[in-house]
């Protein structure tokens, strides 16, 4: 026994003998000792743990177009990624209006998130929960699971992050209009589309019940859409086709009583798009018999009437309806609003990011999709710095050659310059330096330079809150994350006009794409 005690002390004092195998013979009482050095294996385990911990922690909030596009294109092997979303599926939202009318079934436009993330290059952890609060000072998000079916365990948890991707979309903006939440339908989720479809059928079923007057039937078959944005216009078009191609055959007795009305507070529908698109949509609706009421602001909604003011006349009008779809825009979710208060954006209506989608006021937080907007920098704010950077000989004037030298970087950083040039039908961007009579100038001073670009910022436009924008933002940011180390040593962006060097990445720019309604194409993109 004394020998065994001595042996134990010896092994404890010599770290190289970390494994010990003791075999004791019951019959003879003999003791066989085998020791194996484990220093190298322990070193390997430590190195593996260090490599795992060295990965930057990325937390993604949301599984919509922006979040899913980011996850699909991100090199997962370089990051420790966790996803938090209250819904465990991705929905092809451009087809939601089609679901309302049965053109497409709901199960055809959804895909489970776990099916998507398991096909990525690495492991992604998904939590079906909603974010309650963001703590930017401690790089932490607080979440809560919505599953409360008598299951054990806690619902609240927190996640630490090195980079946070906020892609939670937005909620319906009711503008605090009385009665909207109680009496209107919305079209943000798959469940909303299914609910609308049932209501449309109920309106027709109610209208064919005997004993009703034609006025009552007209009221039941009056479908009102409040909001002339993409969602409202698409739903109005889908509903028109559904009624005139399918429902009038099933309910022929009331086919002449159906009416579709679109109410818009602005002067035109689709006012965030090119005016040619807006004009075409209005003319198409006029031919199809869809009434478009512009310049009308809804002030309340009751169980049977919509009350609104007509801006041109000041008249107060009450419109009876059978069903109302409210699609007047979106607003910020409460926890995002709280986050904005913490970082000094409390007076804004939506989360502001720079041209690289980084939230202003936070170096490690990014905003994508409907929950954020790109706050494009005005060229007039940097006009003096641009002039100094371009004036290489420091003679106080800018020649055409010096302007051409910085022109590419200017257009990349301030895309409104090129938009302004095209709106003025200028062949070359250097034509901006022409004088008021259109004559070419060899050089301009700082005041002439300011005057030449003074109207450029008028071409700045906010990106629409559409799936196309969100998807491209997710793809763009994933590309930045994948090239991070490479671009630190070899920046690809425009030059810093207020300091030396170049920006690491090119700013985000929206490109035109056309989504296919073929689900197989969608699966190739996201699944």
């Amino acid at each position: 026994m004394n020998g065994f005690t001595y042996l134990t002390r010896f092994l404890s004092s010599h770290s190289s003998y970390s494994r010990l195998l003791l075999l004791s013979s019951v019959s003879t009482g003999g003791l066989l000792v085998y020791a194996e050095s484990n220093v190298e294996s322990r070193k390997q385990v430590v190195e593996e743990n260090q490599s795992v911990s060295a990965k930057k922690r990325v937390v993604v909030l949301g599984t919509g177009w922006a979040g899913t596009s980011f996850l699909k294109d991100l090199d997962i092997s370089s990051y420790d990624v966790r996803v938090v979303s209250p819904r465990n599926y991705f929905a092809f939202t451009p087809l939601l209006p089609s679901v309302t009318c049965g053109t497409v079934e709901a199960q055809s436009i959804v895909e489970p998130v776990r099916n998507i993330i398991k096909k990525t290059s690495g492991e992604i952890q998904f939590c079906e929960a909603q974010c309650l609060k963001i703590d930017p000072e401690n790089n932490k998000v607080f979440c809560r699971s919505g599953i409360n079916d008598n299951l054990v365990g806690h619902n609240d948890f927190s996640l630490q992050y090195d980079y946070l991707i906020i892609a939670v979309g937005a909620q319906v903006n009711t503008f605090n209009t009385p009665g909207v939440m109680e009496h209107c339908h919305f079209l943000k989720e798959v469940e909303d589309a299914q609910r609308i479809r049932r209501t449309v059928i109920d309106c027709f079923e109610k209208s064919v019940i005997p004993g009703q007057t034609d006025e009552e039937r007209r009221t039941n078959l009056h479908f009102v859409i409040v909001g002339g944005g993409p969602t409202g216009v698409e739903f109005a078009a889908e509903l028109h086709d559904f009624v005139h191609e399918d429902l009038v055959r099933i309910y022929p007795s009331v086919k002449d009583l159906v009416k579709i009305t679109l109410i818009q507070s602005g002067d035109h529908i689709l006012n965030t798009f090119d005016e040619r698109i807006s004009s075409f949509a209005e003319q198409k609706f006029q031919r199809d018999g869809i009434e478009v009421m512009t310049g009308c602001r809804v002030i309340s909604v009751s169980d049977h009437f919509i009350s609104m003011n007509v801006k041109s006349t000041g008249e107060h009008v009450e419109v009876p309806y059978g069903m109302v779809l409210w699609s007047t825009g979106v607003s910020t979710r409460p926890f995002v609003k709280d986050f904005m208060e913490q970082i000094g954006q409390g007076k804004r209506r939506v989360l502001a990011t720079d041209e690289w989608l980084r939230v202003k006021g936070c170096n490690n937080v990014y905003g994508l999709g409907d929950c954020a907007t790109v706050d494009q920098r005005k060229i007039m704010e940097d006009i003096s710095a641009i002039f100094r950077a371009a004036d290489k000989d420091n003679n106080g004037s800018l020649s055409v050659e010096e302007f051409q030298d910085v022109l590419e970087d200017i257009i990349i950083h301030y895309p409104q310059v090129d938009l302004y040039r095209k709106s003025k039908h200028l062949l070359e961007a250097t034509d901006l330096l022409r004088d008021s009579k259109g004559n070419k100038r060899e050089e301009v001073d700082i005041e002439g330079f300011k005057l030449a670009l003074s109207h450029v910022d008028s071409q700045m436009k906010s990106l629409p809150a559409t799936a196309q924008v969100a998807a491209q933002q997710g793809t763009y940011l994933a590309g930045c994350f994948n090239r991070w180390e490479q671009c630190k040593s070899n920046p690809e962006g425009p030059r810093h006009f207020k300091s030396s060097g170049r920006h690491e990445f090119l700013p985000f720019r929206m490109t035109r794409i056309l989504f296919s309604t073929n689900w197989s194409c969608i699966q190739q993109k996201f699944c």
Side-chain angles (χ1 to χ4, degrees), residues 230 272-273 330 350 353-355 357 367-376 415 419 459-470 472-473 507-512:
T272 58
F273 295 84
V330 294
V350 66
T353 71
D354 60 19
E355 304 94 311
L357 308 184
L368 310 178
D370 295 357
C371 69
T373 184
V374 178
D375 192 9
Q376 178 63 50
L419 293 175
Q459 295 296 315
M460 294 174 60
K461 292 183 178 180
S462 299
L463 295 173
T466 61
Q468 291 92 333
V469 174
Q472 290 191 30
Q473 287 180 339
F508 170 75
R509 291 292 176 264
M510 179 69 181
T511 58
R512 294 182 179 180

Side-chain angles (χ1 to χ4, degrees), residues 485-498:
E485 295 301 324
Q486 173 187 347
C487 289
K488 281 183 178 179
S489 56
N490 297 298
E492 63 182 17
R495 71 183 70 183
H496 286 277
F497 287 113
K498 291 188 175 182

Side-chain angles (χ1 to χ4, degrees), residues 390-429:
D391 185 17
K392 292 184 177 180
D393 54 11
N394 296 321
N395 65 348
S397 64
L398 195 66
S399 66
V400 174
E401 291 75 16
E402 289 175 326
F403 182 56
Q404 285 178 326
D405 184 56
V406 298
L407 184 57
E408 182 180 355
D409 293 310
I410 290 175
I411 292 177
I412 292 174
H413 203 166
Y414 311 94
Q416 61 266 34
V417 172
D418 209 35
L419 293 175
Y420 180 77
R421 177 187 67 82
K422 293 177 181 178
S423 69
K424 295 300 181 181
H425 307 290
L426 301 178
L427 296 179
E428 301 291 340

